[in-house]
Amino acid sequence: MGKKTAWSLVRITAVLLLAVFALSFTGCANKGIEGTWVLVEEYQADGKKISSKELEELGVSETYEIENGQVKYTVSMKEVKKPISIKMDLEDLGGNRYNFNISKGRVTFATAEVKGNTMTYYVGEGDGRMKMVFKRK
């Protein structure tokens, strides 16, 4: 093998290694908040977990569709004949934290945090505070 061929092989190998290295980290990068999010579990104030299966048995379904700075929240419950939808504005707080605002930002519906494909936020206060956990669809 000549010097030119060996050098070409080294360069090709280096480029491939760099590409593999770069791509290996893209899966870990935070994808932001845009997309569809589905409620998968809740944690009551006492720490008790309500699983996806239990939520389904209770007839509770919550979804967020987030796109271009707009948030559409939809909740369905057995007790309500039709799903309830609320449109909100998205406010980026930085650090993968976001406010879902109603009434042109005068009321914050929730402050969510995104880590990879998981979005969480808290509702309620004190003894009634619950953690909501959503997964990217």
Side-chain angles (χ1 to χ4, degrees):
M1 182 182 317
K3 278 186 176 181
K4 244 183 176 182
T5 307
W7 181 243
S8 293
L9 267 170
V10 168
R11 286 192 347 210
I12 290 170
T13 303
V15 168
L16 286 173
L17 284 173
L18 283 172
V20 168
F21 182 73
L23 290 174
S24 68
F25 286 104
T26 58
C28 300
N30 198 335
K31 298 175 185 174
I33 197 165
E34 292 213 356
T36 300
W37 299 87
V38 178
L39 180 67
V40 293
E41 56 194 30
E42 295 179 6
Y43 291 88
Q44 295 178 342
D46 64 4
K48 181 182 181 245
K49 176 183 170 181
I50 302 171
S51 69
S52 290
K53 184 178 179 186
E54 291 171 306
L55 288 167
E56 188 177 322
E57 289 169 359
L58 292 169
V60 175
S61 169
E62 295 183 38
T63 305
Y64 283 92
E65 295 173 52
I66 304 171
E67 187 176 21
N68 298 321
Q70 298 298 303
V71 179
K72 180 183 175 192
Y73 169 71
T74 304
V75 60
S76 298
M77 297 178 281
K78 282 182 186 176
E79 298 82 15
V80 181
K81 291 179 183 177
K82 290 174 31 176
I84 299 167
S85 290
I86 302 171
K87 291 189 179 183
M88 297 174 268
D89 296 316
L90 181 68
E91 177 185 5
D92 188 342
L93 301 173
N96 299 316
R97 296 184 68 237
Y98 304 86
N99 278 343
F100 301 157
N101 295 320
I102 304 171
S103 300
K104 308 241 186 253
R106 292 191 304 252
V107 177
T108 298
F109 180 79
T111 301
E113 183 174 13
V114 174
K115 290 183 182 174
N117 290 320
T118 303
M119 176 177 75
T120 59
Y121 65 79
Y122 292 88
V123 295
E125 294 180 13
D127 292 342
R129 188 173 172 186
M130 294 178 58
K131 180 178 180 181
M132 312 297 281
V133 181
F134 294 79
K135 291 289 183 183
R136 191 185 305 268
K137 189 173 179 183

